[in-house]
Amino acid sequence: MDRRGFLRLAGIGAAALATGACGSGETAPISATTSGSALPSPGSTGPPPPPDWAGLRGKVSLLLPQDPEFTGAWSPFNSALSPAPPAALARCGTPEQVQACLDVVRRAKLPVAARSGGHSYAGYSAPAGGLVLDLSPMNTVRVRPDGTAVIGAGAKLADVYTALARAGRALPAGSCPSVGIAGLTLGGGIGVLARKFGLTCDHLRSAQAVLPDGSLRTASADSEQELFWALRGGGGGNLAIVTQFEFGTVPAPGLTVFSLRFPAGSGAAVLGVWQDWISAAPPELWSICHLLGGAPPVPVVAGCYVGGTAGLNPLLDRLISAAGARPGQRLVQPKGYLDAMRHFAGSGGGKREGFAAASRIMEHKITGLDQVVGQIQGRKMDLLFDGLGGAVGDIGVAETAFPHRKALASVQIYAPAERADLARQTSAVTEVQQALTGLVGKGSYVNYLDPAQRDWAQAYYGPNLTRLRAAAARYDPDGVFRFAQGLTS
């Protein structure tokens, strides 16, 4: 969930910044860094030739540093970052244009990254000195009569939801309107309908993708099966550049959204009850337990229910009774599918925000509740526990690349930051993340990439890491898509 939207639900006001969910579950890069330059072809010697920007400009809309639009076009969503600029940005509207760009990249041995929403937490979707492939022109959303949705890799969630709603269909996905469907899907796709309908990647039927060698393939259950497996949770930036997705959708449900703001100081009690409550809840219920840092932290429980108020209110009453604390605010509102998605998006509209963030996966129920809540005591930092279970766990750990099928929740550690205090906030977030490892579990969500995370490969991919690296070696043997936290690193 977008943190601005969440705080609006909690009645806290509009001054808050957007959460990692606006990169959340929901935001993942398709990327590379300067360490990700393509390797020379067999038998090549000497330095690579300079990139043929003039030739590429005849095939695709290309921006160079001297162009007025350049800086705004490549800047990452996280405004606290100050990365070195890429060498160029190409706006790709067809797979053929992606192929042309990769040809230049391979010849010049440049780092390359594709992007749609630009929500990479670490800014990996703008490789320093490399080429950014802006896929936003590939933004069409077409719903077939059978409900199958064909979606371009540059489509944003706001456009996806709107087009699906017109056809009476839905796709479980994230809440931040400016997150791209590509990064979200490739990292798994945690969202507000996940417990009922599964992850975004669980609905993927096929993907059209350009491989590092420039060939165009279709990955599905019947074609390029290993690539298809890896694209469902293996993280953006690895193996291939997807240009188009085909999803199965579900009939758009009616939803009831809710928010409960509990008294300050009840964080440990509410979190303890919430973890039992969400674990036992029917899959129609999705919820997030948000601990707002302060002295003391304030717990807010929000979410949605696939159904009406008659089914939801007894569940909320049960939570409140068990918590032993009465919420000062209780919001319960029935909404249509599209209105509910807009409700969770809040009023931010996906505007750039500055933050430091990281994640852990809640692999078991927490016993040290006071220790968890104490991590943000007096700090300008939040913890967001995003409930999993339900349909997410109905798929086996090895059936897709997304490994966290049996987890209870994902945990975001989020701190607003500006460029001047990013280092300090990043250090604080890292400290909390490391402390949570022993309290909630060792996993992390690949859509919340964190450059400071030392155990990132095992944390992101768990038991699927070996198979994913084998797939990367098969599809990208020369490391064209290599980047700091990539599978070919």
Side-chain angles (χ1 to χ4, degrees):
M1 171 188 293
D2 177 290
R3 183 170 179 268
R4 180 186 284 106
F6 192 101
L7 295 178
R8 181 178 59 80
L9 293 181
I12 296 169
L17 299 177
T19 180
C22 226
S24 154
E26 307 166 336
T27 82
I30 309 175
S31 56
T33 67
T34 50
S35 63
S37 57
L39 300 180
S41 58
S44 65
T45 59
D52 182 12
W53 299 136
L56 186 59
R57 210 161 211 170
K59 301 174 183 178
V60 64
S61 175
L62 189 70
L63 294 178
L64 298 173
Q66 61 266 30
D67 296 319
E69 297 178 64
F70 180 74
T71 299
W74 72 264
S75 295
F77 175 81
N78 187 350
S79 61
L81 300 176
S82 52
L89 179 143
R91 288 179 170 145
C92 299
T94 66
E96 292 75 19
Q97 290 178 334
V98 173
Q99 290 172 311
C101 290
L102 288 183
D103 183 60
V104 170
V105 164
R106 287 193 307 272
R107 293 177 186 275
K109 296 169 53 178
L110 286 179
V112 62
R115 65 184 288 168
S116 50
H119 281 257
S120 168
Y121 272 21
Y124 288 150
S125 54
L131 177 60
V132 176
L133 276 58
D134 178 3
L135 304 184
S136 60
M138 300 187 197
N139 60 2
T140 57
V141 182
R142 180 165 54 93
V143 183
R144 295 172 178 153
D146 67 355
T148 302
V150 180
I151 303 176
K156 310 298 190 295
L157 292 187
D159 300 323
V160 171
Y161 286 141
T162 300
L164 291 179
R166 289 196 194 105
R169 309 298 294 184
L171 177 69
S175 58
C176 182
S178 63
V179 161
I181 189 68
L184 174 74
T185 303
L186 297 175
I190 294 172
V192 302
L193 297 179
R195 299 190 79 250
K196 176 63 176 176
F197 298 114
L199 304 175
T200 311
C201 74
D202 297 339
H203 292 257
L204 184 64
R205 293 186 177 177
S206 69
Q208 181 188 75
V210 180
L211 298 186
D213 64 6
S215 61
L216 182 64
R217 307 285 180 87
T218 297
S220 70
D222 301 316
S223 174
E224 302 291 349
Q225 292 96 333
E226 194 66 7
L227 179 61
F228 184 57
W229 175 85
L231 292 178
R232 291 174 292 161
N238 295 307
L239 305 176
I241 295 176
V242 177
T243 56
Q244 181 177 278
F245 298 89
E246 181 183 74
F247 293 101
T249 64
V250 299
L255 302 172
T256 303
V257 302
F258 67 91
S259 176
L260 307 170
R261 177 176 172 140
F262 288 88
S266 62
V270 170
L271 178 60
V273 168
W274 178 87
Q275 67 179 352
D276 294 329
W277 178 73
I278 195 63
S279 298
E284 288 77 14
L285 178 73
W286 167 81
S287 177
I288 190 167
C289 183
H290 187 170
L291 302 178
L292 294 96
V298 176
V300 180
V301 175
C304 68
Y305 179 76
V306 181
T309 57
L312 172 62
N313 276 321
L315 294 170
L316 298 183
D317 292 341
R318 193 176 307 158
L319 172 70
I320 293 167
S321 175
R326 302 293 301 180
Q329 296 174 353
R330 175 170 176 159
L331 168 75
V332 178
Q333 285 184 339
K335 288 184 178 290
Y337 162 69
L338 182 57
D339 284 343
M341 296 304 101
R342 290 172 173 167
H343 176 77
F344 287 119
S347 59
K351 295 179 181 178
R352 295 178 68 222
E353 304 288 356
F355 60 90
S359 74
R360 278 298 177 197
I361 295 293
M362 186 175 164
E363 298 169 349
H364 51 75
K365 289 184 180 179
I366 301 167
T367 55
L369 294 164
D370 288 325
Q371 292 175 270
V372 170
V373 177
Q375 295 300 317
I376 58 170
Q377 173 75 26
R379 279 177 152 162
K380 192 179 180 182
M381 181 187 303
D382 297 351
L383 296 178
L384 298 95
F385 294 79
D386 191 340
L388 297 175
V392 177
D394 291 342
I395 294 177
V397 170
E399 289 185 48
T400 69
F402 182 85
H404 310 300
R405 295 289 179 177
K406 304 308 177 186
L408 301 181
S410 70
V411 187
Q412 291 186 69
I413 307 106
Y414 174 89
E418 302 297 335
R419 291 185 182 182
D421 65 349
L422 178 61
R424 178 178 57 82
Q425 289 289 67
T426 297
S427 177
V429 165
T430 300
E431 177 186 332
V432 172
Q433 183 217 60
Q434 292 173 350
L436 289 180
T437 303
L439 296 169
V440 304
K442 297 180 180 179
S444 291
Y445 183 31
V446 70
N447 274 357
Y448 304 149
L449 285 171
D450 173 18
Q453 189 161 341
R454 292 174 297 195
D455 60 344
W456 62 268
Q458 188 64 39
Y460 296 154
Y461 302 119
N464 293 332
L465 176 60
T466 299
R467 183 176 173 184
L468 275 166
R469 281 187 163 152
R474 171 183 172 183
Y475 285 100
D476 189 13
D478 294 332
V480 174
F481 296 140
R482 185 181 297 139
F483 70 104
Q485 290 188 337
L487 291 170
T488 56
S489 298

